Structure formats: C-alpha cells, structure tokens
Amino acid sequence: MSAASNIHSLLARLLPEQINCPPASPGRRQRQFVGVGLPSQRALLVNRLDEAHDLQVIYADLRQQALAGSVAALNDLGWIWLNGKYWRADTGLAGHLLRMAALQGNAAAWFNLGQQHYFGKGVATSYVQAEACYRQAFERGLLHAAAALGDLYEEEVCDAALGWQVDMDQAYQWFFRGAEEGEARCRFEVGYRLLHGLHVNPDTRAALYWLELAAATGVIQAAEELAVHFSRGDDARYRDWRDRAVQMGSSLALTMKLEDQVQP
C-alpha cells in the first residue's frame, strides 16, 4: 500500500461523520487561540464559516474534499479544530491532521504546527519545534513565516529554560529575508529598524525604501512612520504620507492632521 493510501485510510478513521459539539464557552486563554494559524483558503473559508447557518454542511464538504485527497481541506480542518472557534477544539485531532497535511508539502500546515508548538496547544510549548516548523513553511513559500521567525527570535517572552535564546541578529535576518521576498510586514520591520538604528546600523535611505514599499501594500504603521519622519523637515512629503495614513485608517495620522488644522 502506498504512503498516500495509508494516509487516506487513516484519515477515514480519524474524521467523524458529524460534528456534534458546539464550541466551549471561551475563557481568556481560549480567546487568545481564536486567531491562531492560517487556513489554506484564507478569507473565503472564514467568511463561509462566519456566515454559515449550518456548520455541518461546511464540515461535510471539507471532509469530503479531504477524503478525496485535498491537502488544503486537510489543513483547514486541522486549523478549525486547533482554534475551537467554530466547533469544539480537539488539539490532538488537529495535530494529526496538520501533520498529515504538512508531510504532503502544505506550507500552511507547517505554519499551523509551528503555532501549535509556540502556544502549547495540546503539546508541550517548544520554541525549538516552532522554529523548525516555521522554517519548513517559509521554504515552501509561506512568506508570513519569515515574520513569525523574526518575532520568535526577538521575543523576550520566550523562556530560556525551554532551550531558546533571543537573538536580535537572527530576528533581523529573518525580517530581511521576508522583506526581500515581498512580505509586507517584514518590509516594515526592516525599515523601522534601519530608520531607528535598532540592532542594526541606521540607514535612512534604505529605511525609507522599505517603509514606502510596506506602506504601498497597506501597512498603516509604515505610512505613520513616514509621516512622522517627514514632519521634521519636508512639509510636502509629510502631508502626503499623513493623508495617505488617514485614508488607511490611522488614528495617529488623523490626530496629526487635526492638530495641523488648529495651528496658526
């Protein structure tokens, strides 16, 4: 029997015919997990779930897709059971499904396994395992994993007792790798560090380059940084970025504009 046949034989036994349990009343910790991970179908699946009158219909569809060989559906089911927002969480089942999808090359599943290890959802918290999974996700084309790796290397919350050390140089390198590949938040993180000289030598010209690229793809913080920077000596560019940030929904930029209007 092939590996694929083994996987799908196991999958047929793992996936229940129906989902019967509504989500548990979320405590503070459970609410933190609601946004964990990424579905393969992103906004499309979330909209379907949020607007569904009968979640069983969506589950039946995802189950059928998974049994037919859809690795994306396999990841999505793992993601739903990992979060516990739409039906009761089952982190053990989530882990099985995500590993099955990951071993078939699904980048989002690798990322979700990283989230499971990072948050300790049904497994012991392990930043080492999270890092390994995020790397696999990035190598398979999930650029957002570079931002997760940058965060992981610079977060002081990560306990050294768990075998992890903060490394600001590594953090910057991951943000830079993501920025080079076009990941919007990574571009902001690189620009911000270069502008303020955080753990790197300051380079205003390079900083503005990365911040403008990030702002052009909708990163509000990048537009805010540009407005603040140009407010110190380039009125035309300041007003341009201030107004762009306002249009993007920045409360900081709106406050700046209101203050400009009342000044003589």
Side-chain angles (χ1 to χ4, degrees):
M1 182 178 288
S2 68
S5 298
N6 281 330
I7 287 174
H8 290 98
S9 175
L10 173 61
L11 185 58
R13 297 195 298 271
L14 281 175
L15 292 176
E17 290 290 337
Q18 297 203 359
I19 48 166
N20 297 315
C21 297
S25 299
R28 182 178 65 85
R29 183 169 172 80
Q30 179 59 43
R31 286 195 296 270
Q32 292 175 340
F33 293 149
V34 167
V36 167
L38 293 172
S40 296
Q41 302 176 53
R42 303 291 177 91
L44 177 62
L45 177 61
V46 172
N47 289 340
R48 284 184 68 198
L49 289 165
D50 286 342
E51 297 170 5
H53 297 294
D54 185 355
L55 287 171
Q56 179 61 44
V57 173
I58 296 179
Y59 171 68
D61 179 42
L62 289 173
R63 184 180 187 276
Q64 182 179 18
Q65 290 182 46
L67 291 174
S70 170
V71 181
L74 192 58
N75 170 70
D76 288 344
L77 286 168
W79 171 75
I80 295 170
W81 265 303
L82 185 67
N83 280 269
K85 177 180 178 182
Y86 299 102
W87 52 76
R88 191 180 297 271
D90 185 334
T91 55
L93 178 56
H96 286 307
L97 299 177
L98 292 173
R99 283 191 294 276
M100 292 167 72
L103 291 174
Q104 295 179 77
N106 186 275
W110 278 113
F111 181 83
N112 290 335
L113 285 172
Q115 296 272 273
Q116 185 174 26
H117 286 290
Y118 177 86
F119 287 102
K121 290 204 67 179
V123 296
T125 298
S126 173
Y127 304 127
V128 173
Q129 288 295 322
E131 192 265 359
C133 291
Y134 290 151
R135 278 181 180 265
Q136 292 280 355
F138 180 78
E139 290 170 3
R140 285 160 176 75
L142 188 65
L143 301 184
H144 180 65
L149 283 159
D151 289 339
L152 188 63
Y153 273 106
E154 76 170 6
E155 286 183 353
E156 295 180 0
V157 68
C158 293
D159 191 344
L162 295 176
W164 190 256
Q165 293 292 331
V166 169
D167 187 331
M168 295 301 182
D169 289 336
Q170 279 275 25
Y172 180 77
Q173 290 303 317
W174 276 109
F175 286 134
F176 191 77
R177 286 183 68 178
E180 286 188 310
E181 294 292 332
E183 209 284 324
R185 196 191 133 219
C186 285
R187 287 177 165 179
F188 165 72
E189 298 291 350
V190 170
Y192 184 87
R193 284 158 177 73
L194 289 170
L195 189 64
H196 297 284
L198 296 177
H199 310 292
V200 294
N201 293 325
D203 185 334
T204 301
R205 184 175 179 179
L208 297 180
Y209 168 78
W210 290 114
L211 288 172
E212 288 182 3
L213 286 176
T217 53
V219 180
I220 295 176
Q221 298 96 321
E224 292 173 340
E225 282 294 319
L226 289 163
V228 171
H229 173 76
F230 288 121
S231 70
R232 303 187 183 102
D234 189 329
D235 190 62
R237 296 180 77 179
Y238 157 65
R239 291 180 182 276
D240 177 44
W241 282 112
R242 179 203 65 190
D243 291 345
R244 289 198 208 184
V246 169
Q247 292 173 359
M248 294 164 70
S250 167
S251 57
L252 171 63
L254 180 59
T255 299
M256 295 166 71
K257 186 168 186 174
L258 292 173
E259 290 176 351
D260 292 338
Q261 291 173 348
V262 299
Q263 290 178 357

